[in-house]
């Protein structure tokens, strides 16, 4: 696996062996960052269920100001830490070696807000239904939540969030959520 765009284009990523981690394919990452486009520049990016960190590192490579990676698998964490160190972007990345629910509580307590929140939970285990409702309070005005899931998974309606777009790539779907009109979370300034 490699970073496919930006300043780190071609950078080889270390990925955990085995089937417990399913990295986002290059095709899906390429599509994601083509959709996000130049809005990634100077953004704050949250990568939940980060695995090797491929998506968050891709965001940093393309100009995100900071990425926070949440991962609790020991094997994935070793790869993530190594990838971040070898990339030379340690100063722009923060790793939270916690369960996603614990990490969300910590981020909410700290008052963190993100322009992009990406989650790629294990397929078919109901994580999106559990996690999506908690993400609205971490979203900057004008920000987006991107849930990568299995195409067959039911798309959740979430109070306070509006599903704005859904793109399907083979068995994978990218679901894009924004705050409902009139909802106000965070204090990060005007829409970008």
């Amino acid at each position: 696996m490699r970073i496919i765009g930006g300043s780190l284009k071609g950078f080889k990523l270390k990925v955990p062996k085995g089937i417990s981690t399913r990295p986002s394919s290059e095709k899906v990452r390429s599509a994601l960052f083509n959709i996000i486009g130049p809005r990634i520049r100077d953004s704050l990016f949250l990568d939940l269920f980060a695995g090797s960190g491929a998506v968050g590192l891709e965001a940093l490579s393309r100009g995100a100001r900071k990425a926070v990676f949440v991962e609790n698998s020991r094997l994935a964490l070793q790869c993530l830490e190594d990838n971040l160190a070898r990339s030379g972007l340690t100063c722009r990345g923060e790793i939270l070696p916690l369960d996603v629910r614990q990490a969300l509580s910590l981020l909410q307590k700290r008052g963190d807000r993100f322009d992009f929140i990406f989650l790629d939970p294990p397929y078919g285990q109901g994580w999106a239904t559990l996690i999506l409702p908690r993400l609205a309070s971490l979203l900057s005005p004008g920000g987006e939540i991107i849930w990568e899931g299995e195409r067959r998974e039911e798309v959740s309606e979430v109070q306070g969030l509006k599903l704005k777009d859904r793109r399907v790539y083979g068995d994978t779907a990218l679901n894009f959520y924004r705050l409902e009109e009139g909802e106000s979370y965070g204090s990060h300034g005007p829409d970008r």
Side-chain angles (χ1 to χ4, degrees), residues 38 45 77 85 87 93 105 134 138-139 162 172 174 180 190:
F45 195 94
L77 272 169
S87 73
S105 294
R134 296 187 61 189
L138 292 173
L139 203 56
K162 174 110 176 114
T172 301
L174 292 176
E180 287 274 10

Side-chain angles (χ1 to χ4, degrees), residues 6 14 17 37-38 42 54-55 66 78 80 82 93 98 100 107 121 132 153 156 171:
K14 197 179 210 184
K17 292 186 171 151
D42 204 34
V55 174
K66 180 180 179 182
Q78 289 172 347
L80 173 55
D82 184 62
L98 301 168
V100 167
L107 293 167
L132 280 168
E153 281 185 270
S156 303
D171 290 334

Side-chain angles (χ1 to χ4, degrees), residues 3 5 9 13 24-25 33 37 47 49 69 74-75 80 84 100 127 140 157 164 181:
I3 298 294
K9 185 176 180 176
L13 294 164
S24 295
S25 72
F33 286 97
D47 187 354
F49 304 94
F69 301 87
R74 187 178 54 79
L75 289 174
L80 173 55
L84 191 58
V100 167
W127 277 103
S140 296
E157 288 296 321
K164 293 291 193 180
E181 294 298 319

Side-chain angles (χ1 to χ4, degrees), residues 161-180:
L161 295 174
K162 174 110 176 114
L163 180 66
K164 293 291 193 180
D165 197 3
R166 176 176 169 84
R167 307 277 179 102
V168 176
Y169 306 93
D171 290 334
T172 301
L174 292 176
N175 304 287
F176 295 83
Y177 291 87
R178 286 193 165 215
L179 291 176
E180 287 274 10

Side-chain angles (χ1 to χ4, degrees), residues 109-145:
K109 191 181 292 186
R110 291 188 338 192
D112 288 11
R113 299 289 180 268
F114 298 91
D115 301 299
F116 295 98
I117 300 174
F118 177 81
L119 65 151
D120 182 11
Y123 286 177
Q125 295 183 20
W127 277 103
T129 305
L130 182 67
I131 299 299
L132 280 168
R134 296 187 61 189
L135 299 181
S137 65
L138 292 173
L139 203 56
S140 296
E144 280 186 295
I145 297 167

